[in-house]
Amino acid sequence: EFSSHDVIFKIKEAFNRNIGSKIFVSGVDYLETNGSLSRSWRLESVQPFELGWHPPHPGFYARRSLLTRLGGFNEEFRIAADFDLMLRSFEVTEINEIVVDHGKVVNMYLGGVSNASVRNVLKGNSEIRRSFANNGKQVTIIYTIKRIAKKFLDRWQ
């Protein structure tokens, strides 16, 4: 859910103030099913995805022209289609074309498909590795181990 009633306006205004921008990215609060705060993710700076950084998908917004150019979601990825779209988006976007919001725009309830089971966590990570390969990027097995460990730690803290 949006974190306030004016989130769409805030994103629109950010794009309008930064005419050449292609991406808006902001923070997300993760909520338990009862509404209590589990953890927060805030954007400090944009980093390479290969280092393990990427924004949560609900905090990622892009201009239609960019999404059209990229062909939208790659439906070959059942769990990591959002990751793949963000990876491709950041790959073709210059740093000065990214609007960074240090606050948050979304409250995201825990329990999505990617975390629904151990099998889904492993499948999602396999898809992420394929996304990197499809985009000419290599990641080490350490990257994957760290991602999987973080998923489990975040879920069962």
Side-chain angles (χ1 to χ4, degrees):
E1 65 188 20
F2 289 126
S3 59
S4 68
H5 68 281
D6 63 346
V7 166
I8 297 291
F9 178 78
K10 177 181 179 178
I11 295 168
K12 177 182 172 266
E13 285 301 303
F15 276 125
N16 287 343
R17 279 192 313 276
N18 302 279
I19 298 300
S21 63
K22 294 180 181 168
I23 295 172
F24 172 93
V25 63
S26 185
V28 170
D29 278 351
Y30 293 90
L31 305 179
E32 300 290 343
T33 54
N34 66 6
S36 64
L37 180 67
S38 173
R39 61 189 163 92
S40 295
W41 187 93
R42 295 296 182 272
L43 182 64
E44 306 249 339
S45 63
V46 175
Q47 304 290 321
F49 275 44
E50 302 92 315
L51 297 180
W53 177 91
H54 70 86
H57 68 273
F60 170 84
Y61 300 84
R63 289 195 186 267
R64 180 185 325 198
S65 58
L66 174 62
L67 299 177
T68 300
R69 185 172 121 207
L70 295 172
F73 288 106
N74 180 343
E75 294 181 16
E76 157 190 341
F77 300 114
R78 303 305 300 164
I79 294 177
D82 52 355
F83 177 92
D84 178 70
L85 181 63
M86 290 188 297
L87 173 64
R88 290 184 288 126
S89 296
F90 278 92
E91 284 299 306
V92 300
T93 304
E94 301 293 328
I95 194 74
N96 65 335
E97 297 173 319
I98 301 169
V99 177
V100 173
D101 177 68
H102 298 288
K104 71 164 183 166
V105 294
V106 170
N107 296 319
M108 179 177 169
Y109 288 86
L110 296 173
V113 171
S114 65
N115 293 326
S117 67
V118 171
R119 179 182 174 160
N120 283 9
V121 169
L122 296 175
K123 181 173 174 34
N125 276 280
S126 174
E127 290 181 2
I128 285 170
R129 291 183 67 80
R130 281 196 352 254
S131 174
F132 275 122
N134 289 355
N135 290 286
K137 303 268 182 208
Q138 291 190 347
V139 290
T140 66
I141 192 67
I142 301 299
Y143 169 90
T144 303
I145 292 168
K146 285 169 70 174
R147 262 191 73 79
I148 292 170
K150 184 174 181 347
K151 281 268 188 190
F152 288 115
L153 289 173
D154 286 346
R155 182 172 177 168
W156 291 291
Q157 279 185 347

